[in-house]
Amino acid sequence: MQPDELARSIGTLESAATEGALLASDVARDRTKATFARVHARELGETVVHEAEKLNDAEAEGGVASKKVKAIDLADRISAELGRIQIAPGSEIEGRGAEENLDRLSKQAGQLAEGL
């Protein structure tokens, strides 16, 4: 795995976390239908899991390898937060918590990508 490939994968994770935070914000403010929130969270989660699988399968060396491990961990945490929305798409409390965490995870992904 080359640094630019890892950067693209991390960018996908960052984008999914950002979009998930927006979705969670709508859930927290009761501004979306539960069905839509559940389906969209599932789609985002599938994207994140697919990216984690690609990262896991890729061979990397040196600094790229350590950042790859961090990216896989981020993917796992992003997936878990999207799962909160998927499980409880009508819960404003869960939406608020997921929004905060996904926003933080998106920023972490951006910081991780900056170093590549």
XYZ file of all heavy atoms in Angstrom:
856
model
N 0.848 -1.177 0.000
C 0.000 0.000 0.000
C 0.891 1.237 0.000
O 1.798 1.357 0.814
C -0.921 -0.026 1.214
C -1.707 1.247 1.411
S -3.003 1.107 2.635
C -4.368 0.806 1.551
N 0.599 2.122 -0.888
C 1.345 3.374 -1.000
C 0.639 4.475 -0.192
O -0.569 4.382 0.052
C 1.437 3.794 -2.468
C 2.185 2.811 -3.335
C 3.620 2.627 -2.884
O 4.324 3.587 -2.599
N 4.054 1.375 -2.789
N 1.358 5.525 0.189
C 0.746 6.598 0.980
C -0.490 7.216 0.332
O -1.463 7.523 1.012
C 1.873 7.629 1.124
C 3.133 6.824 1.020
C 2.808 5.717 0.053
N -0.481 7.367 -1.001
C -1.642 7.975 -1.657
C -2.866 7.064 -1.597
O -3.996 7.530 -1.470
C -1.324 8.372 -3.100
C -0.939 7.196 -3.978
O -0.237 6.281 -3.492
O -1.326 7.188 -5.175
N -2.656 5.748 -1.655
C -3.770 4.803 -1.527
C -4.365 4.861 -0.123
O -5.587 4.854 0.038
C -3.300 3.376 -1.801
C -2.851 3.135 -3.227
C -2.176 1.790 -3.381
O -1.213 1.500 -2.639
O -2.635 1.030 -4.248
N -3.491 4.916 0.863
C -3.953 5.017 2.251
C -4.695 6.329 2.462
O -5.739 6.362 3.114
C -2.773 4.894 3.220
C -3.105 4.992 4.705
C -4.124 3.931 5.126
C -1.831 4.868 5.533
N -4.183 7.405 1.881
C -4.846 8.712 2.018
C -6.252 8.680 1.429
O -7.189 9.245 2.010
C -4.008 9.802 1.356
N -6.422 8.001 0.304
C -7.756 7.893 -0.301
C -8.699 7.099 0.600
O -9.863 7.474 0.780
C -7.679 7.250 -1.690
C -7.249 8.203 -2.777
C -7.477 7.627 -4.165
N -6.745 6.396 -4.411
C -5.470 6.315 -4.805
N -4.788 7.431 -5.001
N -4.903 5.139 -5.017
N -8.204 6.017 1.174
C -9.038 5.218 2.077
C -9.432 6.019 3.307
O -10.589 5.992 3.737
C -8.297 3.947 2.505
O -8.273 3.012 1.472
N -8.479 6.733 3.859
C -8.775 7.554 5.038
C -9.757 8.654 4.669
O -10.658 8.986 5.436
C -7.479 8.127 5.650
C -6.626 6.990 6.222
C -7.795 9.153 6.737
C -5.222 7.407 6.644
N -9.628 9.208 3.470
C -10.573 10.220 2.999
C -11.990 9.675 2.917
O -12.955 10.370 3.249
N -12.121 8.425 2.489
C -13.437 7.790 2.452
C -14.007 7.656 3.856
O -15.190 7.922 4.090
C -13.344 6.405 1.769
O -12.887 6.587 0.424
C -14.684 5.690 1.759
N -13.166 7.263 4.804
C -13.604 7.146 6.200
C -14.008 8.508 6.756
O -15.024 8.637 7.434
C -12.493 6.538 7.058
C -12.078 5.117 6.714
C -10.902 4.691 7.584
C -13.245 4.159 6.847
N -13.203 9.523 6.457
C -13.508 10.880 6.933
C -14.843 11.360 6.371
O -15.678 11.912 7.092
C -12.392 11.836 6.520
C -12.594 13.254 6.983
C -11.479 14.187 6.538
O -10.672 13.812 5.666
O -11.434 15.308 7.057
N -15.061 11.112 5.096
C -16.304 11.524 4.451
C -17.509 10.813 5.063
O -18.542 11.441 5.334
C -16.217 11.234 2.952
O -17.423 11.536 2.315
N -17.383 9.509 5.277
C -18.487 8.746 5.871
C -18.782 9.228 7.279
O -19.952 9.334 7.683
C -18.161 7.253 5.870
N -17.742 9.538 8.048
C -17.948 10.034 9.420
C -18.619 11.405 9.400
O -19.522 11.672 10.203
C -16.622 10.094 10.169
N -18.206 12.260 8.485
C -18.806 13.585 8.368
C -20.274 13.481 7.980
O -21.142 14.135 8.574
C -18.046 14.441 7.331
O -16.685 14.579 7.767
C -18.670 15.810 7.176
N -20.564 12.656 6.989
C -21.951 12.472 6.564
C -22.783 11.831 7.675
O -23.939 12.192 7.900
C -22.007 11.623 5.296
C -23.356 11.611 4.649
C -23.356 10.967 3.271
O -22.279 10.809 2.656
O -24.455 10.610 2.816
N -22.166 10.890 8.391
C -22.839 10.262 9.525
C -23.147 11.258 10.624
O -24.218 11.197 11.251
N -22.224 12.199 10.864
C -22.459 13.230 11.876
C -23.641 14.115 11.484
O -24.449 14.498 12.338
C -21.192 14.071 12.085
N -23.749 14.432 10.204
C -24.892 15.229 9.737
C -26.196 14.464 9.917
O -27.208 15.033 10.344
C -24.707 15.612 8.264
C -23.605 16.615 7.970
C -23.383 16.738 6.467
C -23.924 17.959 8.578
N -26.167 13.186 9.596
C -27.350 12.346 9.779
C -27.714 12.267 11.266
O -28.878 12.420 11.635
C -27.093 10.949 9.225
C -28.206 9.923 9.393
C -29.466 10.360 8.659
C -27.728 8.562 8.899
N -26.711 12.068 12.107
C -26.940 11.993 13.555
C -27.497 13.305 14.091
O -28.341 13.317 14.989
C -25.649 11.619 14.274
N -27.038 14.411 13.523
C -27.557 15.719 13.922
C -29.051 15.815 13.630
O -29.824 16.315 14.459
C -26.807 16.830 13.175
O -27.377 18.087 13.420
N -29.453 15.327 12.472
C -30.878 15.318 12.134
C -31.667 14.420 13.081
O -32.778 14.762 13.490
C -31.086 14.869 10.690
C -30.702 15.933 9.676
O -30.527 17.107 10.069
O -30.568 15.584 8.486
N -31.089 13.276 13.446
C -31.744 12.374 14.393
C -31.877 13.073 15.748
O -32.945 13.054 16.376
C -30.966 11.043 14.536
C -31.502 10.218 15.700
C -31.036 10.247 13.233
N -30.810 13.727 16.192
C -30.807 14.400 17.492
C -31.843 15.515 17.556
O -32.373 15.808 18.632
C -29.417 14.963 17.789
N -32.132 16.122 16.429
C -33.075 17.237 16.388
C -34.450 16.807 15.877
O -35.286 17.633 15.561
C -32.493 18.355 15.540
C -31.350 19.051 16.277
C -30.381 19.737 15.329
N -29.213 20.251 16.011
C -28.199 19.520 16.476
N -28.201 18.217 16.357
N -27.159 20.075 17.076
N -34.637 15.502 15.756
C -35.903 14.927 15.281
C -36.323 15.541 13.949
O -37.476 15.920 13.753
C -36.993 15.094 16.350
C -38.191 14.201 16.098
O -38.024 13.160 15.435
O -39.298 14.554 16.549
N -35.360 15.609 13.021
C -35.621 16.220 11.715
C -35.520 15.234 10.562
O -35.306 15.626 9.417
C -34.624 17.354 11.478
C -34.849 18.518 12.394
C -34.014 19.683 12.002
N -34.316 20.817 12.860
C -33.564 21.878 12.945
N -32.457 21.967 12.244
N -33.912 22.860 13.743
N -35.656 13.957 10.868
C -35.604 12.954 9.816
C -36.467 11.765 10.193
O -36.737 11.545 11.372
C -34.147 12.507 9.535
O -34.120 11.701 8.368
C -33.544 11.760 10.700
N -36.887 11.045 9.212
C -37.677 9.840 9.449
C -36.761 8.721 9.931
O -35.636 8.579 9.449
C -38.377 9.388 8.166
C -39.367 10.393 7.625
C -40.648 10.295 8.403
C -41.700 11.190 7.762
N -42.873 11.299 8.597
N -37.253 7.924 10.851
C -36.461 6.826 11.408
C -36.028 5.845 10.316
O -34.885 5.375 10.315
C -37.245 6.110 12.501
N -36.909 5.555 9.380
C -36.583 4.611 8.318
C -35.424 5.120 7.472
O -34.497 4.378 7.159
C -37.810 4.335 7.428
O -38.886 3.898 8.250
C -37.511 3.310 6.364
N -35.478 6.389 7.098
C -34.392 6.981 6.306
C -33.083 6.929 7.088
O -32.037 6.558 6.545
C -34.713 8.429 5.916
C -33.545 9.117 5.274
C -33.246 8.884 3.939
C -32.727 9.967 6.004
C -32.147 9.499 3.341
C -31.628 10.584 5.411
C -31.345 10.348 4.077
N -33.128 7.328 8.355
C -31.909 7.345 9.178
C -31.315 5.946 9.272
O -30.095 5.763 9.141
C -32.211 7.898 10.569
N -32.143 4.967 9.491
C -31.665 3.581 9.620
C -31.009 3.103 8.320
O -29.913 2.552 8.329
C -32.819 2.663 9.991
C -32.418 1.201 10.095
C -33.507 0.345 10.680
N -33.487 0.524 12.130
C -34.577 0.585 12.893
N -35.772 0.473 12.366
N -34.464 0.743 14.190
N -31.681 3.325 7.201
C -31.161 2.856 5.914
C -29.876 3.596 5.549
O -28.896 2.984 5.113
C -32.231 3.006 4.805
C -31.642 2.765 3.427
C -33.392 2.060 5.066
N -29.863 4.898 5.743
C -28.679 5.674 5.377
C -27.494 5.318 6.282
O -26.359 5.205 5.792
C -28.991 7.173 5.438
C -27.971 8.015 4.741
N -27.586 7.804 3.436
C -27.245 9.060 5.179
C -26.677 8.693 3.104
N -26.436 9.460 4.142
N -27.739 5.133 7.563
C -26.671 4.723 8.481
C -26.123 3.364 8.062
O -24.912 3.125 8.110
C -27.178 4.689 9.916
N -27.005 2.460 7.639
C -26.566 1.140 7.188
C -25.684 1.269 5.951
O -24.630 0.625 5.850
C -27.766 0.249 6.889
C -27.363 -1.153 6.405
C -28.557 -2.071 6.130
N -29.332 -2.246 7.356
C -30.638 -2.015 7.448
N -31.318 -1.586 6.393
N -31.280 -2.204 8.571
N -26.084 2.101 5.001
C -25.297 2.287 3.777
C -23.922 2.866 4.091
O -22.907 2.411 3.551
C -26.044 3.201 2.802
C -27.268 2.561 2.190
C -28.137 3.535 1.421
O -27.929 4.765 1.522
O -29.041 3.063 0.704
N -23.890 3.871 4.956
C -22.605 4.455 5.350
C -21.744 3.421 6.068
O -20.532 3.334 5.840
C -22.823 5.683 6.238
C -23.398 6.918 5.559
C -23.771 7.972 6.593
C -22.406 7.479 4.550
N -22.376 2.640 6.929
C -21.654 1.606 7.656
C -21.055 0.568 6.719
O -19.923 0.113 6.923
N -21.797 0.195 5.688
C -21.284 -0.761 4.711
C -20.076 -0.197 3.977
O -19.109 -0.923 3.710
C -22.384 -1.154 3.733
C -23.448 -2.044 4.347
C -24.652 -2.265 3.449
O -24.711 -1.691 2.328
O -25.559 -3.015 3.876
N -20.102 1.073 3.667
C -18.960 1.728 3.023
C -17.740 1.676 3.930
O -16.630 1.358 3.488
C -19.305 3.195 2.682
O -20.391 3.204 1.753
C -18.123 3.929 2.093
N -17.943 1.967 5.204
C -16.843 1.980 6.172
C -16.277 0.569 6.350
O -15.055 0.388 6.369
C -17.308 2.585 7.512
C -16.282 2.376 8.605
C -17.615 4.062 7.333
N -17.137 -0.415 6.477
C -16.676 -1.797 6.648
C -15.903 -2.253 5.410
O -14.852 -2.894 5.521
C -17.858 -2.740 6.948
C -17.451 -4.197 6.820
C -18.400 -2.463 8.334
N -16.400 -1.915 4.231
C -15.698 -2.275 2.998
C -14.302 -1.650 2.972
O -13.326 -2.304 2.603
C -16.519 -1.840 1.783
C -15.845 -2.134 0.479
N -15.702 -3.410 -0.015
C -15.259 -1.307 -0.418
C -15.052 -3.358 -1.170
N -14.779 -2.095 -1.434
N -14.212 -0.414 3.380
C -12.919 0.277 3.399
C -11.985 -0.383 4.411
O -10.791 -0.560 4.146
C -13.126 1.763 3.731
C -12.118 2.675 3.134
C -12.000 2.588 1.617
O -13.007 2.605 0.893
O -10.853 2.489 1.140
N -12.512 -0.766 5.561
C -11.697 -1.449 6.574
C -11.185 -2.785 6.043
O -10.035 -3.164 6.302
C -12.504 -1.652 7.851
N -12.023 -3.499 5.318
C -11.608 -4.773 4.733
C -10.479 -4.560 3.735
O -9.494 -5.312 3.722
C -12.794 -5.462 4.047
C -13.832 -5.983 5.009
C -15.122 -6.412 4.327
O -15.313 -6.121 3.112
O -15.955 -7.027 5.011
N -10.617 -3.542 2.886
C -9.556 -3.240 1.921
C -8.256 -2.894 2.636
O -7.178 -3.357 2.249
C -9.972 -2.088 1.005
C -11.005 -2.471 -0.007
C -11.404 -1.390 -1.001
C -10.854 -0.031 -0.878
N -11.421 0.945 -1.807
N -8.361 -2.077 3.683
C -7.174 -1.708 4.445
C -6.531 -2.932 5.081
O -5.305 -3.088 5.065
C -7.530 -0.677 5.523
C -7.802 0.734 5.048
C -8.485 1.549 6.134
C -6.494 1.397 4.614
N -7.347 -3.770 5.657
C -6.828 -4.960 6.324
C -6.097 -5.885 5.349
O -5.081 -6.475 5.699
C -7.960 -5.719 7.008
C -7.443 -6.833 7.868
O -6.701 -6.597 8.820
N -7.813 -8.048 7.532
N -6.608 -5.992 4.129
C -6.022 -6.888 3.134
C -4.762 -6.322 2.482
O -3.974 -7.077 1.915
C -7.049 -7.221 2.048
C -8.206 -8.055 2.578
O -8.098 -8.604 3.699
O -9.231 -8.145 1.865
N -4.576 -5.013 2.568
C -3.441 -4.373 1.902
C -2.145 -4.589 2.688
O -2.141 -4.575 3.912
C -3.707 -2.872 1.754
N -1.074 -4.786 1.958
C 0.247 -4.921 2.568
C 0.875 -3.538 2.628
O 0.827 -2.779 1.657
C 1.102 -5.845 1.717
C 0.450 -7.191 1.508
C 1.373 -8.333 1.864
O 2.526 -8.069 2.201
O 0.897 -9.460 1.807
N 1.451 -3.220 3.775
C 2.079 -1.911 3.953
C 3.353 -2.070 4.769
O 3.488 -2.997 5.560
C 1.117 -0.955 4.647
N 4.248 -1.114 4.596
C 5.523 -1.143 5.315
C 5.774 0.211 5.966
O 5.247 1.240 5.542
C 6.661 -1.465 4.340
C 6.567 -2.838 3.718
C 7.687 -3.099 2.728
O 8.561 -2.229 2.551
O 7.676 -4.176 2.125
N 6.601 0.180 7.014
C 7.053 1.402 7.668
C 5.935 2.231 8.254
O 5.002 1.706 8.868
N 6.040 3.536 8.042
C 5.060 4.476 8.579
C 3.669 4.265 8.023
O 2.675 4.523 8.701
N 3.591 3.793 6.798
C 2.287 3.537 6.193
C 1.589 2.407 6.949
O 0.377 2.453 7.180
C 2.426 3.211 4.687
C 1.112 2.764 4.093
C 2.962 4.416 3.927
N 2.355 1.413 7.372
C 1.772 0.278 8.095
C 1.160 0.716 9.417
O 0.055 0.290 9.769
C 2.824 -0.800 8.331
N 1.844 1.576 10.154
C 1.298 2.024 11.441
C 0.070 2.901 11.245
O -0.897 2.815 12.005
C 2.361 2.749 12.266
O 2.762 3.941 11.639
N 0.077 3.714 10.211
C -1.095 4.551 9.931
C -2.256 3.710 9.417
O -3.414 4.012 9.669
C -0.749 5.666 8.963
C 0.148 6.696 9.634
C 0.324 7.917 8.809
C 1.285 8.830 9.541
N 0.802 10.151 9.651
N -1.944 2.640 8.719
C -2.978 1.729 8.245
C -3.708 1.113 9.438
O -4.936 1.033 9.452
C -2.366 0.637 7.366
C -3.384 -0.354 6.826
C -2.717 -1.483 6.080
C -2.548 -2.627 7.052
N -2.464 -3.945 6.457
N -2.957 0.709 10.450
C -3.555 0.129 11.660
C -4.457 1.160 12.339
O -5.566 0.847 12.779
C -2.464 -0.383 12.623
C -3.050 -0.760 13.973
C -1.738 -1.564 12.011
N -4.011 2.401 12.407
C -4.824 3.467 13.001
C -6.089 3.709 12.183
O -7.156 3.956 12.734
C -4.015 4.756 13.128
C -2.931 4.683 14.170
C -2.140 5.973 14.236
C -1.016 5.843 15.251
N -0.193 7.057 15.307
N -5.977 3.631 10.864
C -7.145 3.827 9.994
C -8.162 2.707 10.196
O -9.370 2.958 10.226
C -6.709 3.904 8.531
N -7.692 1.484 10.363
C -8.606 0.364 10.607
C -9.329 0.563 11.938
O -10.539 0.322 12.038
C -7.850 -0.981 10.570
C -7.370 -1.270 9.143
C -8.730 -2.122 11.076
C -6.386 -2.422 9.035
N -8.606 1.031 12.943
C -9.232 1.313 14.244
C -10.284 2.413 14.110
O -11.375 2.311 14.666
C -8.167 1.703 15.270
C -8.772 2.037 16.620
O -9.428 1.153 17.219
O -8.604 3.194 17.067
N -9.961 3.461 13.371
C -10.936 4.534 13.128
C -12.176 3.989 12.432
O -13.303 4.334 12.795
C -10.319 5.635 12.258
C -9.595 6.763 12.952
C -8.944 7.680 11.920
C -10.523 7.551 13.832
N -11.972 3.134 11.439
C -13.103 2.548 10.713
C -14.001 1.770 11.666
O -15.228 1.868 11.592
C -12.604 1.646 9.589
N -13.393 1.035 12.565
C -14.164 0.254 13.536
C -15.004 1.174 14.418
O -16.187 0.913 14.661
C -13.207 -0.594 14.376
C -13.939 -1.514 15.330
O -14.887 -2.196 14.892
O -13.564 -1.543 16.516
N -14.406 2.255 14.881
C -15.136 3.182 15.749
C -16.213 3.950 14.992
O -17.303 4.190 15.522
C -14.159 4.120 16.454
C -13.264 3.338 17.435
C -12.379 4.215 18.269
N -11.388 4.838 17.402
C -10.733 5.958 17.712
N -10.942 6.574 18.846
N -9.848 6.467 16.876
N -15.937 4.325 13.748
C -16.950 5.002 12.924
C -18.127 4.062 12.696
O -19.291 4.451 12.824
C -16.343 5.475 11.585
C -15.335 6.609 11.827
C -17.440 5.925 10.616
C -14.449 6.921 10.623
N -17.822 2.814 12.372
C -18.869 1.816 12.143
C -19.749 1.648 13.384
O -20.977 1.551 13.268
C -18.228 0.489 11.748
O -19.212 -0.490 11.532
N -19.129 1.623 14.545
C -19.896 1.469 15.788
C -20.844 2.646 16.005
O -21.999 2.460 16.417
C -18.954 1.327 16.975
N -20.388 3.847 15.720
C -21.244 5.027 15.899
C -22.383 5.044 14.887
O -23.505 5.411 15.215
C -20.421 6.314 15.813
C -19.460 6.506 16.964
C -20.144 6.509 18.317
O -21.248 7.089 18.459
O -19.573 5.917 19.253
N -22.102 4.633 13.666
C -23.174 4.533 12.670
C -24.178 3.469 13.095
O -25.385 3.610 12.862
C -22.593 4.222 11.288
C -21.778 5.353 10.658
C -21.013 4.845 9.446
C -22.665 6.525 10.292
N -23.688 2.433 13.738
C -24.569 1.393 14.262
C -25.532 1.916 15.309
O -26.673 1.454 15.405
N -25.087 2.888 16.097
C -25.978 3.505 17.093
C -27.191 4.124 16.416
O -28.317 4.015 16.899
C -25.244 4.595 17.887
C -24.231 4.085 18.867
C -23.462 5.202 19.504
N -24.286 5.966 20.452
C -23.813 6.969 21.178
N -22.551 7.339 21.082
N -24.605 7.605 22.012
N -26.936 4.794 15.295
C -28.035 5.430 14.560
C -28.928 4.354 13.950
O -30.159 4.453 13.994
C -27.490 6.353 13.446
C -26.632 7.460 14.049
C -28.637 6.950 12.632
C -25.822 8.217 13.009
N -28.304 3.334 13.396
C -29.059 2.264 12.751
C -29.957 1.542 13.750
O -31.103 1.228 13.446
C -28.080 1.282 12.112
C -28.722 0.250 11.248
C -27.680 -0.636 10.578
O -26.516 -0.285 10.471
N -28.111 -1.787 10.136
N -29.466 1.317 14.936
C -30.236 0.593 15.950
C -31.338 1.457 16.544
O -32.443 0.983 16.786
C -29.292 0.069 17.056
C -28.418 -1.051 16.477
C -30.071 -0.418 18.268
C -27.266 -1.440 17.363
N -31.037 2.731 16.796
C -32.017 3.616 17.448
C -32.204 4.894 16.634
O -31.845 5.982 17.079
C -31.549 3.941 18.866
N -32.785 4.790 15.434
C -32.898 5.954 14.557
C -33.884 7.017 15.038
O -33.913 8.110 14.491
C -33.355 5.347 13.230
C -34.115 4.135 13.629
C -33.388 3.600 14.830
N -34.648 6.704 16.070
C -35.607 7.677 16.586
C -35.189 8.261 17.922
O -35.918 9.074 18.493
N -34.004 7.903 18.403
C -33.549 8.358 19.717
C -32.716 9.633 19.595
O -31.611 9.614 19.049
C -32.712 7.274 20.400
O -32.098 7.787 21.564
N -33.251 10.703 20.125
C -32.527 11.968 20.084
C -31.248 11.902 20.919
O -30.230 12.492 20.551
C -33.443 13.096 20.549
C -34.601 13.316 19.588
C -35.633 14.312 20.083
O -35.320 15.139 20.945
O -36.773 14.233 19.588
N -31.289 11.171 22.022
C -30.103 11.035 22.880
C -28.995 10.288 22.140
O -27.835 10.718 22.141
C -30.469 10.321 24.195
C -31.391 11.211 25.021
C -29.224 9.932 24.982
C -32.020 10.519 26.205
N -29.344 9.163 21.508
C -28.354 8.407 20.740
C -27.836 9.249 19.570
O -26.652 9.208 19.247
C -28.946 7.091 20.228
C -29.150 6.056 21.295
C -27.855 5.566 21.928
O -26.848 5.359 21.223
O -27.857 5.384 23.166
N -28.713 9.993 18.937
C -28.314 10.863 17.835
C -27.298 11.900 18.266
O -26.300 12.124 17.582
N -27.537 12.512 19.417
C -26.604 13.514 19.935
C -25.235 12.901 20.215
O -24.199 13.464 19.862
C -27.165 14.157 21.206
C -27.327 15.643 21.122
C -27.823 16.302 22.400
N -28.839 15.596 23.163
C -30.147 15.565 22.890
N -30.587 16.217 21.835
N -30.990 14.917 23.658
N -25.238 11.750 20.862
C -23.975 11.088 21.172
C -23.221 10.678 19.917
O -22.007 10.875 19.808
N -23.940 10.115 18.957
C -23.315 9.697 17.703
C -22.784 10.906 16.931
O -21.699 10.847 16.344
C -24.307 8.914 16.850
N -23.533 12.000 16.952
C -23.088 13.212 16.252
C -21.760 13.693 16.803
O -20.813 13.961 16.046
C -24.138 14.312 16.390
C -23.716 15.632 15.770
C -24.691 16.762 16.041
O -25.609 16.614 16.872
O -24.520 17.820 15.414
N -21.647 13.799 18.113
C -20.410 14.268 18.739
C -19.240 13.339 18.413
O -18.151 13.787 18.049
C -20.585 14.365 20.252
C -21.516 15.468 20.682
C -21.850 15.415 22.171
O -21.257 14.585 22.904
O -22.707 16.209 22.597
N -19.481 12.044 18.543
C -18.408 11.084 18.309
C -18.000 11.012 16.840
O -16.808 10.938 16.534
C -18.808 9.706 18.831
C -18.873 9.671 20.338
O -18.224 10.450 21.029
N -19.672 8.773 20.873
N -18.971 11.041 15.940
C -18.643 11.000 14.517
C -17.915 12.259 14.072
O -16.994 12.193 13.245
C -19.902 10.773 13.680
C -20.438 9.348 13.720
C -21.870 9.294 13.197
C -19.540 8.398 12.942
N -18.285 13.398 14.629
C -17.577 14.638 14.315
C -16.119 14.532 14.770
O -15.201 14.882 14.023
C -18.272 15.831 14.985
C -17.660 17.152 14.590
O -17.516 17.393 13.366
O -17.308 17.939 15.489
N -15.907 14.017 15.960
C -14.546 13.848 16.490
C -13.755 12.847 15.637
O -12.594 13.095 15.287
C -14.611 13.388 17.949
C -13.268 13.186 18.610
C -13.385 12.752 20.071
N -14.447 11.794 20.341
C -14.365 10.486 20.094
N -13.289 9.981 19.562
N -15.385 9.678 20.384
N -14.383 11.750 15.259
C -13.714 10.736 14.449
C -13.379 11.256 13.053
O -12.332 10.924 12.495
C -14.572 9.473 14.370
C -14.713 8.701 15.685
C -15.829 7.671 15.587
C -13.399 8.053 16.076
N -14.244 12.073 12.495
C -13.972 12.686 11.199
C -12.724 13.562 11.279
O -11.854 13.519 10.402
C -15.173 13.508 10.743
O -14.862 14.223 9.582
N -12.628 14.332 12.332
C -11.449 15.191 12.520
C -10.187 14.359 12.710
O -9.123 14.697 12.175
C -11.665 16.126 13.701
C -12.687 17.198 13.406
C -12.977 18.056 14.599
C -14.072 19.064 14.246
N -14.665 19.698 15.390
N -10.295 13.264 13.444
C -9.144 12.385 13.634
C -8.687 11.785 12.306
O -7.490 11.673 12.051
C -9.474 11.276 14.631
C -9.572 11.756 16.053
C -9.993 10.648 17.022
O -10.106 9.484 16.636
N -10.216 11.016 18.260
N -9.646 11.412 11.467
C -9.302 10.872 10.157
C -8.578 11.930 9.316
O -7.569 11.629 8.659
C -10.556 10.385 9.431
N -9.069 13.157 9.370
C -8.413 14.239 8.638
C -6.997 14.468 9.109
O -6.075 14.659 8.299
N -6.780 14.411 10.403
C -5.438 14.577 10.958
C -4.521 13.421 10.552
O -3.355 13.629 10.255
C -5.502 14.699 12.484
C -6.139 15.982 12.942
C -6.473 15.974 14.439
O -6.405 14.951 15.101
N -6.836 17.146 14.955
N -5.059 12.219 10.538
C -4.269 11.057 10.150
C -3.846 11.161 8.687
O -2.712 10.851 8.340
C -5.073 9.769 10.393
C -4.364 8.452 10.137
C -3.144 8.295 11.035
C -5.329 7.294 10.355
N -4.741 11.630 7.856
C -4.437 11.762 6.418
C -3.432 12.867 6.160
O -2.652 12.788 5.187
C -5.724 12.025 5.640
N -3.402 13.891 6.996
C -2.470 15.005 6.798
C -1.026 14.546 6.849
O -0.174 15.106 6.165
C -2.682 16.081 7.859
C -3.895 16.944 7.627
C -4.108 17.955 8.748
O -3.203 18.129 9.590
O -5.177 18.563 8.768
N -0.734 13.548 7.649
C 0.638 13.103 7.807
C 1.158 12.217 6.690
O 2.250 11.693 6.783
N 0.366 12.007 5.658
C 0.810 11.105 4.567
C 1.435 11.857 3.428
O 1.206 12.953 3.151
C -0.381 10.278 4.070
C -0.907 9.286 5.089
C -2.195 8.658 4.600
C 0.119 8.199 5.325
